[in-house]
Amino acid sequence: MASINISTIDFAKLDQFDAGEGYGDEVNKLLNAVCSPGFFYPDFKNAFGTKLVLREVKDAYAASDRYFDQSLETKMKDFRKGQPASSDRGYKFCETNESFEVSMGPFSGL
């Protein structure tokens, strides 16, 4: 069975603004990974802010669950009819799926 080698980039080491131990090696690994065809694995396990981001993701999923648990009548208040596909936002549904689209707003240029 063939195997491939995927570079792992430790973002905790890249967070060391004082160029601590491993910083230069990790920067070189990242530069090589992004300049080469293929994939690399970003390891955020010990990086600054990871726990906060994971907590925010849990909160976002909980908010999504609360929204989609509402009645169809309530969700239909967010339905946008007659918008062009390029700007179509709001609640959508079909026989097998439902979604809510949000535009990026003022940050869409980032």
Side-chain angles (χ1 to χ4, degrees):
M1 176 182 276
S3 64
I4 59 171
N5 183 23
I6 298 176
S7 294
T8 299
I9 310 302
D10 185 349
F11 276 75
K13 290 180 180 175
L14 294 176
D15 278 342
Q16 299 172 6
F17 295 112
D18 61 355
E21 185 177 331
Y23 176 83
D25 293 338
E26 216 59 27
V27 168
N28 287 333
K29 280 174 57 179
L30 178 59
L31 288 173
N32 287 330
V34 299
C35 292
S36 302
F39 301 94
F40 68 92
Y41 176 77
D43 181 358
F44 294 103
K45 175 176 50 216
N46 298 312
F48 176 78
T50 297
K51 289 181 182 175
L52 173 64
V53 169
L54 291 175
R55 192 169 45 247
E56 295 291 330
V57 167
K58 287 180 183 178
D59 291 346
Y61 275 112
S64 175
D65 288 342
R66 285 191 304 274
Y67 179 82
F68 289 108
D69 284 344
Q70 298 180 103
S71 69
L72 179 60
E73 179 183 358
T74 301
K75 291 181 282 192
M76 285 302 292
K77 292 176 185 175
D78 297 323
F79 182 75
R80 307 291 186 258
K81 187 175 181 179
Q83 292 184 7
S86 62
S87 64
D88 195 8
R89 305 290 186 256
Y91 178 71
K92 293 186 167 85
F93 68 98
C94 66
E95 190 175 308
T96 59
N97 194 23
E98 60 182 347
S99 66
F100 188 92
E101 293 185 7
V102 180
S103 71
M104 293 197 51
F107 301 107
S108 60
L110 295 178

